């Protein structure tokens, strides 16, 4: 009687932990709905789908094992097959997601991603074969789940993705060109450790409900990191915001061998306050959007890397890589000309122009001082217009 009540108490506590884990992951899944249009985030969403299947199969198995749910050999076999296949799928989608986050060339090739998925296909094939041979696990005549001779292979195939992710992130932490990403890389390096340790402990002590709880918390941390990246976009103009701008400058400033110069263009709308006062804030917002469109158009045909951002209010900034100063001046003129053409096209009831100051970036120069230098050039241009 005591054994039955003890088993029931264990099943209830296990169920409670898994239900909390499933609810937490379901909330994250709901919050990501509509936000996963980027390829990287689609892989994050797919990892959540695999994670939910992992939770559900683990929960059903324990409920059957403790006698809360009726079961037979097929039911036990199916739940464990889903459990192990979803584990491999989850690790694979995490691996691809981390590759996108670190902007590795690897994920730019569909062929390479398909090759990387070979471990998932091997796991699927092994699980099919396992139904007839029991090489990974089997269900005995008493409907009891037992480990097979190659049981550890299920963990090896999944953890290969985890190990590769950890090693690549750790290597990136010590690369100077990825200095600005160091915080994210540390997270990516640490992230798989807790779930992996929980998996190893549960491998040794199957009765401990660690895997689901640890995985749900780790996924929540990833989601919070994702939302932190999303808020680097200015909602009105859809340009980068100041945070992302600073990130790009810090990344450049820690490079030791720059092959090209970097320039900062400070852009300010002329007489913007009078537009707001005379025509209202809606027209003021439309003016800011038009300036952003002119910046995008100018950068689109530029032959080097650029980062266009809204710095605040009616101030904008472009970081532009260039071999020669004249190329940046051409970009400046292109933005002004494009804005002039957009005003005509939109039949704006007010004149809209910008003043642009340029400053060359130097490694020992703080970002704030660089802004001040560009500002000085910008206001000299404004004075000339007066």
């Amino acid at each position: 009687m005591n054994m039955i009540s003890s088993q029931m108490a264990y099943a209830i506590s296990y169920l409670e932990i898994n239900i909390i884990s499933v609810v937490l992951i379901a909330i994250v899944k709901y919050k990501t709905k509509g936000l996963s249009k980027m390829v990287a985030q689609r892989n994050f969403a797919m990892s959540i789908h695999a994670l939910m299947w992992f939770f559900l199969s683990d929960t059903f198995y324990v409920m059957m094992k403790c006698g809360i749910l009726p079961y037979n050999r097929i039911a036990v076999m199916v739940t464990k097959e889903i459990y192990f296949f979803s584990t491999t799928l989850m690790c694979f989608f995490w691996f691809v997601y981390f590759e996108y986050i670190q902007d590795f060339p690897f994920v730019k090739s569909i062929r390479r991603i398909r090759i990387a998925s070979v471990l998932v296909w091997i796991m699927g094939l092994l699980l099919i074969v396992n139904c007839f041979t029991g090489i990974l696990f089997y269900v005995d005549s008493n409907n009891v789940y037992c480990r097979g001779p190659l049981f550890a292979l299920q963990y090896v195939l999944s953890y290969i993705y985890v190990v590769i992710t950890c090693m690549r992130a750790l290597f990136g932490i010590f690369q100077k060109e990825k200095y600005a990403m160091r915080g994210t890389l540390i997270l990516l390096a640490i992230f798989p450790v807790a779930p992996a340790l929980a998996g190893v402990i549960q491998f040794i002590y199957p009765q401990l409900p660690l895997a689901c709880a640890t995985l749900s918390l780790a996924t929540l941390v990833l989601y919070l990191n994702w939302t932190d990246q999303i808020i680097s976009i200015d909602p009105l103009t859809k340009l980068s915001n100041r945070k992302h701008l600073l990130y790009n400058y810090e990344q450049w400033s820690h490079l030791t061998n720059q092959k090209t110069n970097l320039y900062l263009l400070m852009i300010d709308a002329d007489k913007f306050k009078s537009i707001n006062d005379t025509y209202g804030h809606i027209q003021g917002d439309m003016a800011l959007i038009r300036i952003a469109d002119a910046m995008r158009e100018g950068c689109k045909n530029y032959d080097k890397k650029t980062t266009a951002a809204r710095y605040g209010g009616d101030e904008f900034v472009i970081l532009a890589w260039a071999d020669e100063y004249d190329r940046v001046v051409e970009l400046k003129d292109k933005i002004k000309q494009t804005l002039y053409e957009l005003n005509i096209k939109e039949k704006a009831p007010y004149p809209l122009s910008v003043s642009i100051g340029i400053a060359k970036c130097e490694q020992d120069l703080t970002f704030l001082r660089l802004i001040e230098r560009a500002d000085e050039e910008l206001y000299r241009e404004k004075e000339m217009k007066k």
Side-chain angles (χ1 to χ4, degrees):
M1 184 70 178
N2 289 335
M3 184 178 293
I4 295 174
S5 59
S6 175
Q7 197 172 34
M8 183 65 70
Y10 165 75
I12 292 173
S13 63
Y14 200 105
L15 181 62
E16 287 174 345
I17 292 172
N18 279 20
I19 286 176
I20 293 172
S21 300
V22 170
V23 169
L24 182 59
I25 291 302
I27 292 172
V28 173
K29 178 65 182 74
Y30 174 76
K31 289 292 185 181
T32 60
K33 188 177 181 181
L35 296 177
S36 55
K37 294 179 181 178
M38 294 174 60
V39 178
Q41 309 308 346
R42 283 204 299 269
N43 282 280
F44 179 70
M46 291 300 292
S47 73
I48 292 178
H49 289 151
L51 188 56
M52 294 188 78
W53 280 107
F54 173 89
F55 287 169
L56 291 172
S57 59
D58 183 58
T59 303
F60 275 104
Y61 170 71
V62 172
M63 295 304 101
M64 289 188 295
K65 180 182 176 181
C66 295
I68 295 177
L69 293 177
Y71 65 96
N72 54 29
R73 181 181 178 279
I74 295 176
V76 175
M77 181 65 75
V78 169
T79 53
K80 297 306 289 186
E81 292 264 333
I82 293 174
Y83 177 89
F84 287 112
F85 188 66
S86 60
T87 301
T88 309
L89 268 181
M90 177 175 56
C91 292
F92 169 71
F93 286 122
W94 275 347
F95 163 75
V96 178
Y97 174 66
F98 291 165
E99 293 289 297
Y100 273 108
I101 291 297
Q102 297 179 74
D103 197 27
F104 281 127
F106 173 85
V107 288
K108 295 178 182 178
S109 169
I110 299 296
R111 180 174 171 271
R112 289 175 186 170
I113 295 176
R114 286 173 178 168
I115 292 173
S117 70
V118 68
L119 296 180
V120 178
W121 293 103
I122 291 174
M123 175 60 84
L125 182 61
L126 283 173
L127 288 171
I128 292 172
V129 173
N130 181 71
C131 293
F132 307 98
T133 62
I135 56 173
L136 301 175
F137 63 88
Y138 60 93
V139 181
D140 66 16
S141 57
N142 295 318
N143 296 330
V144 176
Y145 161 77
C146 304
R147 294 175 176 178
L150 299 180
F151 177 79
L153 189 59
Q154 298 166 116
Y155 284 88
V156 171
L157 290 174
S158 299
Y159 280 26
I160 285 175
Y161 291 121
V162 175
V163 171
I164 292 174
T165 294
C166 271
M167 295 303 295
R168 285 168 76 83
L170 282 170
F171 181 73
I173 290 171
F174 300 101
Q175 291 180 302
K176 289 189 175 181
E177 62 268 24
K178 293 187 177 182
Y179 178 86
M181 284 186 66
R182 189 163 293 178
T184 299
L185 290 173
I186 291 172
L187 172 65
L188 297 183
I190 295 174
F191 166 79
V193 174
L197 287 176
V200 171
I201 293 172
Q202 195 157 331
F203 172 81
I204 301 171
Y205 304 104
Q207 70 276 13
L208 295 178
L210 293 177
C212 289
T214 310
L215 284 168
S216 61
L217 290 174
T219 304
L220 178 62
V221 171
L222 268 189
Y223 168 71
L224 294 175
N225 180 67
W226 172 10
T227 55
D228 187 55
Q229 293 176 19
I230 289 175
I231 61 175
S232 65
I233 302 297
D234 176 61
L236 176 66
T237 62
K238 308 306 179 189
L239 297 176
S240 298
N241 63 9
R242 189 183 302 194
K243 174 185 174 182
H244 191 242
L245 183 73
L246 183 59
Y247 164 84
N248 278 272
Y249 181 72
E250 286 181 349
Q251 190 173 34
W252 174 86
S253 64
H254 287 88
L255 292 175
T256 54
N257 298 313
Q258 294 93 341
K259 295 181 180 179
T260 56
N261 297 319
L262 180 65
Y263 294 87
L264 185 143
L265 289 77
M266 192 73 188
I267 304 167
D268 184 75
D270 297 328
K271 300 178 181 178
F272 182 73
K273 186 177 183 300
S274 65
I275 296 175
N276 267 337
D277 293 344
T278 306
Y279 299 96
H281 289 283
I282 293 179
Q283 280 295 330
D285 286 348
M286 296 302 294
L288 295 176
I289 292 171
R290 207 172 305 130
I291 293 172
D293 288 341
M295 291 168 61
R296 260 188 292 268
E297 185 63 29
C299 292
K300 185 172 69 174
N301 298 317
Y302 191 71
D303 59 353
K304 297 287 185 182
K305 179 184 176 183
T306 59
T307 299
R310 185 183 180 189
Y311 192 68
D314 60 330
E315 293 182 318
F316 299 84
V317 169
I318 294 177
L319 287 175
W321 280 253
D323 294 321
E324 299 175 353
Y325 176 76
D326 290 346
R327 289 291 296 119
V328 187
V329 175
E330 290 174 11
L331 174 60
K332 168 183 171 178
D333 294 338
K334 175 65 175 176
I335 292 169
K336 290 184 174 183
Q337 179 62 30
T338 303
L339 180 59
Y340 174 77
E341 293 170 358
L342 287 174
N343 288 333
I344 296 174
K345 181 180 178 181
E346 298 294 330
K347 298 179 181 179
Y350 48 80
L352 178 63
S353 62
V354 293
S355 296
I356 303 177
I358 302 174
K360 185 179 178 180
C361 302
E362 299 172 9
Q363 278 195 307
D364 59 347
L365 205 61
T366 66
F367 187 73
L368 184 59
R369 182 62 187 129
L370 183 64
I371 289 288
E372 289 174 352
R373 284 190 181 181
D375 250 341
E376 291 168 5
E377 291 294 322
L378 184 149
Y379 280 103
R380 266 196 286 271
E381 184 172 299
K382 281 187 179 288
E383 287 299 318
M384 290 175 63
K385 288 182 178 179
K386 291 180 181 178

